[in-house]
Amino acid sequence: MLEEEGERWDVYKVARGEFPKDDELIHYDGFVITGSCSDAHGNDTWVSQLLILLKKLNNMKKKILGICFGHQILGRAIGGKVTRSPTGWDLGVRNITLSSSLPYPLSSLKLPSKLSIIECHRDEIRELPAKAEVIARSEKTGIEMFRYGDHIMGIQGHPEYSKDILFNIIDRLNHQKFITENLAMKSKEKVGMKEPDREAWKRVCITFLKGRYCERNGIEKMNIGGIF
C-alpha cells in the first residue's frame, strides 16, 4: 500500500528473531511496524527486543508508523500502558473521529472529521505519556490514533486491510475458538454495511511517513524498514 517508485523497502520478521543491526539503522529514513497475532503487552523475547529497538529509533528521531500491534507496541515503548480491551474484540468497519487540530503535514490533507477503517483487535492502548497526543478516537476505543513528536504515529485500525482479508481472519478466529460463532456472524454482517476509506488512509500514512522528507530531499532516496 505504501511503496512507491524509487524506494527501497526491507522486511524484518522480528517474531522470528530478524532485526536490523544497530549500524544499519542510520541508513533508513523510516520504519513501519505491522500487526501481529502476539500481544503487545506480552514479554516474549522478541517483543522485549523490539521494545529496545523502538526506543533506539525514538532517540534517533526516525519516522515510525505503527499499525494495530505496531500502534500498541509503540505506545508501550514510549511509556504507555497496553491491556486487553474491557469491551472485548473489535471486528468490522468502524468510524473514527479525527482531532480538529491534526498536526502538519496531515492538516494539509483537508480530511473529513470522520473516517472509516477496518478494525481487528482485542487489545488497546489504555494510557499514554503526557507528551503524546491522541489524534483520533472512536465510540469503542479511546486511543485510535496518537502521535509522539513529529516522528511517531500509531493507528489502531488496519488501513491496508480489505473486506476479504477481514472475512478470512474472522473465519480463522472462529475456527481457532478465539471468538464465538455468533460474534463471527454478527461481525461479518456489520462489515457488509460499510466501506472503509482506504484511499484516504493511504494518503494519511504516506503523508506522515514520507511527507516532510519528500519536501526536503526527494522521494527517490527513501529507504524504509518494515517490521513484521
Side-chain angles (χ1 to χ4, degrees), residues 161-211:
Y161 274 12
S162 65
K163 285 186 174 182
D164 286 342
I165 291 174
L166 182 59
F167 284 144
N168 181 269
I169 291 175
I170 290 172
D171 286 340
R172 281 193 288 146
L173 290 171
N174 183 26
H175 179 72
Q176 296 170 4
K177 306 301 182 184
F178 284 108
I179 61 174
T180 65
E181 188 167 345
N182 184 51
L183 177 57
M185 182 177 64
K186 288 184 176 180
S187 298
K188 285 185 174 182
E189 289 175 355
K190 290 181 180 178
V191 171
M193 297 169 61
K194 190 181 300 182
E195 292 296 325
D197 293 311
R198 295 183 69 198
E199 283 303 313
W201 284 111
K202 179 178 179 179
R203 290 166 56 218
V204 167
C205 293
I206 288 177
T207 299
F208 166 76
L209 192 61
K210 312 174 190 182

Side-chain angles (χ1 to χ4, degrees), residues 10-228:
D10 295 334
V11 175
Y12 295 94
K13 296 185 177 180
V14 294
R16 299 180 185 176
E18 299 174 10
F19 285 85
K21 297 177 182 178
D22 284 353
D23 60 2
E24 295 174 333
L25 302 180
I26 190 68
H27 301 299
Y28 290 102
D29 301 298
F31 291 82
V32 177
I33 319 298
T34 71
S36 171
C37 296
S38 299
D39 297 328
H41 51 81
N43 293 306
D44 293 341
T45 299
W46 71 268
V47 171
S48 299
Q49 291 174 323
L50 179 56
L51 287 167
I52 292 171
L53 171 61
L54 294 177
K55 290 173 182 177
K56 290 177 183 176
L57 296 177
N58 179 29
N59 289 335
M60 297 171 73
K61 297 294 188 289
K62 290 290 185 180
K63 278 288 183 79
I64 317 173
L65 172 64
I67 304 297
C68 197
F69 168 91
H71 161 86
Q72 296 164 9
I73 199 73
L74 275 174
R76 181 179 174 186
I78 62 172
K81 181 180 180 181
V82 181
T83 68
R84 287 276 192 262
S85 169
T87 55
W89 282 94
D90 193 0
L91 297 167
V93 183
R94 182 170 294 279
N95 282 336
I96 72 169
T97 302
L98 303 176
S99 168
S100 59
S101 56
L102 286 176
Y104 181 83
L106 298 185
S107 58
S108 67
L109 296 177
K110 307 300 182 183
L111 297 167
S113 61
K114 295 181 183 293
L115 288 175
S116 59
I117 193 169
I118 288 178
E119 302 272 10
C120 181
H121 64 99
R122 61 174 173 175
D123 297 339
E124 63 178 79
I125 299 175
R126 300 289 291 168
E127 298 175 9
L128 283 169
K131 291 184 179 180
E133 179 185 359
V134 178
I135 56 175
R137 52 179 44 88
S138 70
E139 292 181 356
K140 189 175 189 308
T141 303
I143 305 175
E144 287 279 4
M145 291 177 68
F146 78 92
R147 73 168 183 133
Y148 187 75
D150 293 326
H151 61 292
I152 288 177
M153 186 172 77
I155 302 175
Q156 177 58 75
H158 282 276
E160 80 283 16
Y161 274 12
S162 65
K163 285 186 174 182
D164 286 342
I165 291 174
L166 182 59
F167 284 144
N168 181 269
I169 291 175
I170 290 172
D171 286 340
R172 281 193 288 146
L173 290 171
N174 183 26
H175 179 72
Q176 296 170 4
K177 306 301 182 184
F178 284 108
I179 61 174
T180 65
E181 188 167 345
N182 184 51
L183 177 57
M185 182 177 64
K186 288 184 176 180
S187 298
K188 285 185 174 182
E189 289 175 355
K190 290 181 180 178
V191 171
M193 297 169 61
K194 190 181 300 182
E195 292 296 325
D197 293 311
R198 295 183 69 198
E199 283 303 313
W201 284 111
K202 179 178 179 179
R203 290 166 56 218
V204 167
C205 293
I206 288 177
T207 299
F208 166 76
L209 192 61
K210 312 174 190 182
R212 290 189 176 181
Y213 183 90
C214 295
E215 294 169 1
R216 187 173 68 248
N217 292 330
I219 201 167
E220 69 276 9
K221 296 182 180 179
M222 288 202 76
N223 297 322
I224 308 291
I227 306 298
F228 290 77

